[in-house]
Amino acid sequence: MPDTLWWAILAAGAGCYLLKYAGLAVPARVLADPRVARAADVVPVGLLAALVAVQTLATGDGTLQPDARLAGLGIAVLLLLLRAPFLVVVVGAAVVTALTRLL
């Protein structure tokens, strides 16, 4: 079993490296296409939004359920709109989440 685990870790590492290399190996003419440039601008935003939504609302059994994390996300958005420094946003979100869980 441990040998299989190490082979899986090595395969995952190699796959990640090859995926990164594939992004660097794309010819410049492909990246100059306006459709590709538009997609490159939009896709990361969508992926980040999906990640935040899942991490904020997901439970361990695969369902979505709002809890204290949603309050922390709300205060983080508010602080970002007020142009607060990043550290203040992170600490503020953590404090609000902790206080919400305490209540």
Side-chain angles (χ1 to χ4, degrees):
M1 176 69 178
D3 290 337
T4 306
L5 178 64
W6 281 110
W7 280 112
I9 291 171
L10 289 173
C16 288
Y17 177 79
L18 290 173
L19 186 62
K20 286 277 197 180
Y21 180 73
L24 294 173
V26 174
R29 62 180 166 77
V30 173
L31 297 175
D33 185 1
R35 294 174 295 180
V36 174
R38 190 171 37 243
D41 288 341
V42 176
V43 168
V45 174
L47 289 174
L48 183 59
L51 178 63
V52 168
V54 168
Q55 291 297 316
T56 302
L57 299 172
T59 61
D61 59 358
T63 60
L64 297 179
Q65 178 180 353
D67 60 5
R69 295 174 291 181
L70 194 57
L73 177 63
I75 196 69
V77 168
L78 178 68
L79 290 171
L80 286 171
L81 289 173
L82 295 174
R83 305 255 188 233
F86 183 71
L87 186 59
V88 173
V89 172
V90 171
V91 170
V95 167
V96 167
T97 302
L99 289 175
T100 306
R101 286 184 178 167
L102 186 64
L103 299 175

